[in-house]
Structure formats: structure tokens, C-alpha cells
Amino acid sequence: MIEVKYFGAVAEKTKCEFEKLFFSEEMSLQKLLRDLNEKYEFESLTFSVAVNQKIVSKSADYTLQTSDIVALLPPFAGG
């Protein structure tokens, strides 16, 4: 099981702040993002991805582990 947390416009699009996903086979970050895009249609949204509180590239060849926490984060503004 992994937990996916949504913030900002992504949370507005999904109408939830998080969800827990179960998978029986190895899951790559790219496959997770594709599956979420099919479910929620994120095409128009800009967001960053963090795995276990570390920003990672959406195109990274990253294999998710059970108990990972994936966060979809809105763009950050400096200040």
C-alpha cells in the first residue's frame, strides 16, 4: 500500500486530500502518475512530485515500495 497526498489545485481536482492505493505487483512512479492522470485528468495542472518528502522528477525511473508516501505538490512561489 502507498499513500498519495494531494495539495493545492491537485486536491481541488481530486476532491480529496489523500488516498491509499493497494497494488499487487511492482509499481513504478511513472505508472502511478499515468494511472492517476487517467482517473483525474491532470493534463492542465502543473505540480511537482515528492516521494517520502524528497522531490523527484516525474520521469524518474523510481520503483515505489510499500509504505511510500507520494505527494503531488503545487508550484512553489518564492518569498
Side-chain angles (χ1 to χ4, degrees), residues 1-20:
M1 176 198 70
I2 60 170
E3 184 172 346
V4 183
K5 295 184 176 186
Y6 306 111
F7 296 90
V10 179
E12 290 174 17
K13 182 82 170 179
T14 63
K15 296 183 175 46
C16 64
E17 293 181 2
F18 73 94
E19 64 183 310
K20 294 184 180 194

Side-chain angles (χ1 to χ4, degrees), residues 4-79:
V4 183
K5 295 184 176 186
Y6 306 111
F7 296 90
V10 179
E12 290 174 17
K13 182 82 170 179
T14 63
K15 296 183 175 46
C16 64
E17 293 181 2
F18 73 94
E19 64 183 310
K20 294 184 180 194
L21 303 174
F22 297 89
F23 52 94
S24 56
E25 59 189 39
E26 199 170 85
M27 172 77 78
S28 72
L29 177 61
Q30 289 179 331
K31 179 167 180 0
L32 172 67
L33 293 174
R34 277 194 308 271
D35 291 350
L36 291 173
N37 187 49
E38 285 178 21
K39 184 175 179 180
Y40 297 115
E41 300 176 356
F42 288 148
E43 290 92 5
S44 63
L45 298 177
T46 301
F47 58 88
S48 298
V49 178
V51 178
N52 300 324
Q53 300 182 349
K54 294 185 180 176
I55 300 290
V56 296
S57 169
K58 291 182 200 178
S59 61
D61 186 22
Y62 187 89
T63 301
L64 296 168
Q65 306 296 315
T66 56
S67 77
D68 276 350
I69 298 174
V70 177
L72 305 186
L73 308 164
F76 296 103

